Amino acid sequence: MKRLTANAKINLALVVGSPGDGGKHEVVTVLQRISLADTVALSVGDRLSVSGFADDTIVTEALRALAAVAGVEPCWEVEIEKAIPVAAGLGGGSSDAAAALVLANDLLPEPLTPVRLGGLAATLGADVPFFLRSGSQLGTADGTVLAPVDLPADYSVVLVVPSSTVKTSTGDVYRDFDVRNGAEGFAERRDALLTALAAVRRPQDLAALPPNDLASSPVSGRLREAGAFRADVSGAGPCVYGLFVDRERAEAAAHALRDEGPTCVVTPVRQADATGPTVSTVGA
């Protein structure tokens, strides 16, 4: 059995435009891995089975798609150890799917090239290709066109999953965005994001990035009051993150905001640490 760590992500910025011909919205987003992670283990089996997370659909879909492209039967057994909150805007399902793809691809008689594997990942979800890359990335088009960005990582991240917020689905969040004409002014916000991103030299410079177009939360204000130099919703939410220069202040903020919902303190995964997935073998 082989396993991979499947890290969560936060969107340090997310600007959203109108849906294109295929129905997918144009986005510009800054994606950053964080140390919060699931663990995905995979071995060859008699059939495809996924255990550890009863509501999985994307890992199963990913492995069936890989098998179809490779011309093999999807005979893999997968075990998922969940630590990333589900449907929180942290990309847990996408990260699990990417890890499963890497593990299963490694066992194929003729593994797919990184380009083909990335193309397959893009058909599964906008975040899946990101988790096949290393380091921070700028996502454009529908989020699957990626370019590396060199960002500082010497800060702490407080995550808060507000108990009072219930997200029905990411699709619903985008529909609400369309109803309120959220895409208006997209070009200006996109340019502002790119300008601010180019000027980032130290962690505090991330504060100049525009706020999330899809969602907002009063928890962001509480995190800023607690000392965060940037606070926003990640992805389609509802998880809110706060960035802190000082670890002790981050720990204090996480403690103070426990009344909002589950909290934790994590760190960015540095560019130098993210050299692509590393497969480890466990057990016999």
Side-chain angles (χ1 to χ4, degrees):
M1 179 173 284
K2 297 183 178 182
R3 67 180 178 186
L4 274 178
T5 298
N7 293 88
K9 59 83 182 171
I10 56 174
N11 296 80
L12 291 173
L14 176 57
V15 170
V16 182
S18 300
D21 293 338
K24 295 182 178 180
H25 290 71
E26 183 177 1
V27 304
V28 182
T29 185
V30 181
L31 297 155
Q32 173 65 58
R33 254 185 203 82
I34 54 176
S35 56
L36 178 66
D38 295 340
T39 301
V40 178
L42 182 144
S43 61
V44 175
D46 297 327
R47 59 185 179 85
L48 178 58
S49 67
V50 179
S51 62
F53 180 48
D55 295 329
D56 168 70
T57 57
I58 190 169
V59 171
T60 301
E61 180 186 358
L63 293 178
R64 285 177 176 160
L66 175 63
V69 170
V72 301
E73 289 297 317
C75 295
W76 297 294
E77 294 180 359
V78 182
E79 297 176 8
I80 303 174
E81 295 180 18
K82 291 296 294 181
I84 304 171
V86 177
L90 297 172
S94 296
S95 188
D96 293 346
L101 284 175
V102 170
L103 290 167
N105 190 58
D106 188 58
L107 295 175
L108 291 175
E110 296 183 12
L112 272 61
T113 65
V115 171
R116 290 188 70 195
L117 195 64
L120 174 61
T123 69
L124 301 167
D127 287 336
V128 182
F130 164 70
F131 289 109
L132 295 176
R133 299 289 189 98
S134 65
S136 310
Q137 299 282 327
L138 175 68
T140 55
D142 63 351
T144 63
V145 177
L146 300 166
V149 288
D150 186 14
L151 296 178
D154 48 336
Y155 58 88
S156 296
V157 183
V158 175
L159 301 179
V160 184
V161 183
S163 301
S164 59
T165 304
V166 178
K167 182 181 72 174
T168 53
S169 73
T170 298
D172 286 341
V173 174
Y174 273 96
R175 279 188 285 275
D176 290 342
F177 173 82
D178 291 337
V179 167
R180 58 182 166 85
N181 296 318
E184 185 175 352
F186 168 72
E188 290 80 5
R189 296 193 305 279
R190 175 197 60 206
D191 292 348
L193 187 161
L194 296 175
T195 298
L197 185 63
V200 173
R201 299 291 182 273
R202 57 186 188 130
Q204 294 92 325
D205 295 336
L206 296 169
L209 295 171
N212 187 325
D213 274 354
L214 285 181
S216 61
S217 172
V219 176
S220 297
R222 288 197 62 187
L223 283 164
R224 285 189 287 269
E225 290 171 0
F229 60 83
R230 179 174 178 80
D232 207 347
V233 176
S234 181
C239 186
V240 183
Y241 65 84
L243 310 185
F244 290 77
V245 173
D246 182 83
R247 175 80 184 198
E248 290 186 4
R249 294 195 72 176
E251 297 280 3
H255 180 80
L257 270 73
R258 289 182 302 170
D259 60 315
E260 296 283 0
T263 68
C264 65
V265 179
V266 297
T267 56
V269 175
R270 293 176 179 270
Q271 179 83 20
D273 298 335
T275 56
T278 300
V279 181
S280 61
T281 303
V282 294

